[in-house]
Structure formats: structure tokens, C-alpha cells
Amino acid sequence: MSLDTELLRTHVPFAELDDADLAALVAASELVSLRDAQLVLEEGGAPSEALYVVRTGSIELDRDGEVFDVLGPGESFGFPSLLSGSRPVFDVRAKGITSCLKIPRGAAERILGSGPGLRYLATGLRERAALVERTLVTDAERAIETAGSREELIGAIREVRATAIALREGGYEAGPIARAIAGLLDAGTRRALSLAILAHGVPDVAWAWVVFGSIARREPGLAPDQDHTILWEGDGSLDPAFSAIAEFVTETLSRAGVPPCESGILATTPTWRGPVDSWADALVTRRGARAKVAFRLAFALDARKVAGDLRTESLLARLTDEVLGSDLLWRLARLAVEARPPVGALGGLVTERAADGRRVLDLKLGGLLPVTDIARVEAIRGHHSSTETHQRLRDSAAVGVIDHGEAQALLEAFDTFLELRLDRQVACVRRGLPVDSLEEPAALDPVSRTRLRASYRVVDHVQERLRREFGGGRFG
């Protein structure tokens, strides 16, 4: 048995291969000698064409001159980029005189597709993804938090999308990427608030900057918009001071590529900001159809404080009590069933013609939004305060307001929509197209298409249950 065969024999995923398969793998491999500091893979460069195994010496993974991992004999690299076709997210270079076995694509795919290979991938990709997240997110967060001027901050926030794409290419799932986007936008908002307060001052009262929508739920895609308000203790005489802060933050985020909410749910809208004691009353008693009140409440019930020392927990509890003590729960339930999934009479998917001629499905309108609306209704009925869709469904199942099987099916459907939306949006960015959530089923692989069809059917089934439970009728 050769030295290379003995090396592979003692390391996963090669350890379970028999002698003949190991010998064949070594025979198919190329021995690569590397000088000190020689680059093997370049961050953002061409995807890896092979699976590499360190034979002697060591390999460093670094970014911007900072070393994040060192691999020794028997350890592998290059497989995330090889399998996904994505650009490397680290510079991979030799540390000292080093040699590697370079296993070509065909042989690498065979070994990585085996039982031991799949187990190795499951562990290795999780570890590498965690390393990628720490690296990319920490760098982006540091750039935001240390921005010394408004223009510098705008530039740092603009890089959030690129960070999210790099996370995807590093093997990260859509859910954690969405939370990373939300966290970075939170950091950008806090830094913008700091700069606004330096420029305009702030009244000496407790206040809170509160976000709504997908950012509040920590579920944004690559093109979220701004939904927020600012609340304070005191009276309306303080409005001019807080209005100036709101204008500064909203304009900063807008210039950084995060557009304002088209419905005007913004701290710059006078009817959305105000003293905390009167804000909730105004929210549920403002003139207009009860359907519009329910629409506003659907946003408000997702509220999450990003900055400030004003406590908001009792405010949200008060809104929940208001919903449970009126017909507003029925109206929120009606909101949850109005956006219908594109499921036809025979269970197939019904596409629409997009402006570019493609036959598409709207992953947001018919998928993500109904699930978030359903989860909100069940959270209210379950009297729990979680705002993220995943947690709302798990908590609702735990207290018995929704069946465990139904909750799990909704969670899996939600994740499917998140994954496909992210891939569609990354593709839009790569092609220089406006970012949207319009997926073309015919362009999906058979497994993804089957998952998508099943996910829409789950939403359709739960909506039918809500219709039976809450009764028919339309908004007045």
C-alpha cells in the first residue's frame, strides 16, 4: 500500500473505501507541489475544478490577510466550490513547502456522493458555512459600526447584498442568510441613528426605533424595504425633534439601497410615529374601514425594537389583547387567506405571464406572505410574543393551537419558498436584472419543482382550514 493510500485510509471520507477503490482513487489523482504562500484558490476567483487533500505541509484559508483556518495532512478543501460551481470565499494558499493530492471532478463526485462522502459533506459544509458566516458577517458588521460619516455608512450598507450572496455561495441556507441580512440592516439603522443624534440631538426621554415587516421577522430577501417607526415617552411637542431623526435615518437607508415602504409605514409618516401612550390607541381607532385597521395591525404585531431604551413589550401585549377582544382576529385571519397560492382545480400549479414573457409563480405573494400571515394569527391565539415565522409556528404547536404535523408542513413549505426566492434573487443580481421573487417552474430541477408544488398545496390546505374555522365573508 502506497503512502498516499495509507494517508487517505486514515481520513474521512476515504476511510471506508476498500483497498482497490483507494488505489484507483490515488491513481486518478495528481500530485501537486506548492511553494510557500502559493495560491491554490482565490477569493472571488474561478470555482475549484478538483477536490484537494493535503499530503504534506499545511494549507491556510485567509481573507484580507487574516487567517481563519489551517488544514494539515489528510484534510480536504475545494469541495464547496467544486460541487456548487460558486466562487471561493477565501484565499487558499500553501503555508511553507506543501504537497496536495488533486482528485479530479469525476472521481471527487463519486466519492462525495457515496454514504461516507455525504456524511463528510454534511459535517464539512456546516463547519465551513459557520466559518464563512463569521468571516463575512463580522467584516460587514465592523464596516457598518465603524463608519465615520454618513457617506461611509451608506457605502457599508450597500455591501450587505454582496455579503448575502457570498454566504449563499459559501453553502449557507436561506434562513440563516435572511437573519444575517436583518442583523446587518439593524446595525446600519443603529449607526444611522447615532449619526442622526450627533447631527440633531435627541430629547431627554425614553424612545425606541421599531421595525416591522420582513426585517422585523428576520426573514428578508435581497431587496427588503423599510418599515419602521419611532416612539417616545412624553407628548406631541417632541415630534419635530424625532421627525428630524426619522428623516435622517430613512434617507440614509434609502440612499444605501433600502427603499421606503410604498404604503408609508415609516417613521417619517406623522400618523405612524408618536408618543407611546397614544400610538396604540391611534392604531386601532383611527378612522377607516376595519379591514385597513387589520392591515395596519398586521404590521404592528410584527414589531421589533432595534434601538432606544423605551420598553415596548407591554405595548405589543396591549395590541394582542385588542385583537382578541374584537372582530380584528377574524379580519387578520381573512388577510391570511386572501393571497391564494397558485394551485389549480386539479392540484397543478397555475403560472402567470411575466413582463419578460416567462411563465412564473410569485414566491412571495402566493407562498411566503400567506405562511407569515397564518403564523401571526396562530401566535395571537396562542398568546405568545414571538415574531419570527418559524418560532411562531413552533410555539403555536407547543401550546396546541395548531396541529404539530400542520406546523411542520408549514415550516418546510416556508423554507422551500425562502430557498427558491434567494436563488432567484441571486440570479437576478448576477444577470443585472431587477430583483424579484418570480420563479419559472419550468427552469427548476424536478426535485425543486416537486417541493414547490407540495409547498403551495400545504398553504392551500391550511388556508381552507382557516376559512372553515373563521367562516366566510369579505372585508367591510
Side-chain angles (χ1 to χ4, degrees):
M1 184 178 295
S2 70
L3 292 177
D4 292 335
T5 304
E6 290 181 1
L7 174 70
L8 296 181
R9 167 69 71 197
T10 56
H11 291 84
V12 293
F14 316 102
E16 296 183 34
L17 298 179
D18 59 31
D19 291 345
D21 287 339
L22 276 174
L25 187 64
V26 171
S29 302
E30 174 188 354
L31 180 60
V32 178
S33 297
L34 304 168
R35 64 183 181 276
D36 182 36
Q38 183 174 343
L39 199 63
V40 184
L41 299 173
E42 183 179 8
E43 177 193 348
S48 179
E49 293 294 332
L51 169 66
Y52 294 85
V53 182
V54 182
R55 186 174 183 267
T56 61
S58 58
I59 291 287
E60 287 184 343
L61 308 183
D62 64 58
R63 189 166 184 268
D64 296 331
E66 184 176 357
V67 177
F68 285 88
D69 202 0
V70 178
L71 308 179
E75 295 187 283
S76 304
F77 64 93
F79 56 90
S81 177
L82 171 69
L83 296 177
S84 66
S86 60
R87 291 185 283 271
V89 295
F90 294 102
D91 283 334
V92 181
R93 66 178 74 250
K95 182 182 180 183
I97 303 301
T98 299
S99 65
C100 296
L101 285 177
K102 182 179 179 182
I103 302 174
R105 179 182 298 276
E109 289 177 342
R110 284 193 296 274
I111 183 61
L112 293 173
S114 67
L118 291 173
R119 288 192 292 274
Y120 171 75
L121 283 177
T123 301
L125 288 175
R126 280 197 302 270
E127 293 175 348
R128 194 63 48 85
L131 180 61
V132 169
E133 183 202 23
R134 288 196 302 272
T135 304
L136 296 176
V137 175
T138 299
D139 286 354
E141 193 170 44
R142 184 184 300 117
I144 288 170
E145 292 176 345
T146 59
S149 68
R150 191 181 199 181
E151 295 304 319
E152 189 176 343
L153 175 60
I154 288 169
I157 296 174
R158 283 190 174 276
E159 291 300 312
V160 170
R161 177 181 289 182
T163 298
I165 293 174
L167 286 171
R168 188 60 166 177
E169 293 179 340
Y172 238 61
E173 296 177 349
I177 291 173
R179 287 192 288 276
I181 294 171
L184 291 173
L185 292 178
D186 286 351
T189 299
R190 286 191 290 268
R191 185 59 186 146
L193 282 164
S194 297
L195 294 175
I197 291 169
L198 284 173
H200 301 286
V202 64
D204 188 21
V205 296
W207 60 274
W209 185 275
V210 176
V211 295
F212 309 109
S214 64
I215 295 175
R217 297 190 303 271
R218 296 185 174 92
E219 298 158 1
L222 295 186
D225 58 6
Q226 300 181 55
D227 306 284
H228 48 59
T229 192
I230 190 165
L231 306 174
W232 62 88
E233 288 183 343
D235 56 35
S237 66
L238 300 177
D239 185 74
F242 285 109
S243 175
I245 292 172
E247 291 287 351
F248 184 100
V249 174
T250 302
E251 183 183 351
T252 300
L253 293 174
S254 297
R255 290 173 57 191
V258 188
C261 170
E262 292 183 355
S263 299
I265 300 174
L266 297 162
T268 52
T269 304
T271 53
W272 266 94
R273 68 173 181 268
V276 64
D277 288 341
S278 58
W279 188 76
D281 287 338
L283 191 67
V284 298
T285 61
R286 195 173 294 146
R287 290 182 180 180
R290 296 291 273 172
K292 293 182 179 179
V293 174
F295 175 77
R296 292 193 293 264
L297 273 172
F299 274 87
L301 288 164
D302 291 349
R304 180 170 61 81
K305 186 175 75 172
V306 170
D309 54 359
L310 177 69
R311 298 184 64 85
T312 58
E313 295 87 349
S314 60
L315 172 64
L316 297 179
R318 178 182 174 188
L319 292 180
T320 299
D321 291 342
E322 179 72 30
V323 170
L324 290 170
S326 66
D327 69 339
L328 288 170
L329 180 61
W330 178 86
R331 295 182 181 278
L332 288 171
R334 293 298 298 167
L335 275 180
V337 302
E338 284 204 332
R340 299 295 303 274
V343 178
L346 300 179
L349 296 179
V350 181
T351 60
E352 298 180 356
R353 181 76 66 182
D356 59 5
R358 296 179 304 131
R359 302 296 305 189
V360 299
L361 303 167
D362 192 325
L363 297 169
K364 179 180 178 181
L365 184 62
L368 289 167
L369 284 182
V371 179
T372 59
D373 288 342
I374 291 166
R376 184 185 301 111
V377 169
E378 303 299 8
I380 295 169
R381 293 205 293 178
H383 295 271
H384 52 83
S385 59
S386 50
T387 56
E388 297 181 34
T389 298
H390 260 251
Q391 195 61 48
R392 279 173 163 170
L393 290 171
R394 286 194 292 265
D395 290 347
S396 296
V399 298
V401 297
I402 185 172
D403 177 77
H404 279 277
E406 186 174 276
Q408 185 59 38
L410 282 170
L411 286 170
E412 293 173 1
F414 188 70
D415 286 343
T416 295
F417 297 135
L418 283 179
E419 296 289 338
L420 293 177
R421 180 187 67 171
L422 180 58
D423 285 339
R424 166 61 190 169
Q425 293 185 341
V426 169
C428 288
V429 174
R430 292 295 184 216
R431 298 169 189 167
L433 302 173
V435 174
D436 62 40
S437 301
L438 304 178
E439 183 58 83
E440 187 177 11
L444 295 173
D445 63 83
V447 173
S448 296
R449 194 160 52 245
T450 298
R451 288 177 57 204
L452 181 60
R453 185 183 301 112
S455 298
Y456 279 126
R457 287 174 177 170
V458 166
V459 175
D460 189 56
H461 171 77
V462 178
Q463 285 186 330
E464 285 301 319
R465 191 260 296 168
L466 282 177
R467 287 189 185 90
R468 293 192 301 270
E469 191 168 348
F470 283 91
R474 296 186 60 82
F475 284 123

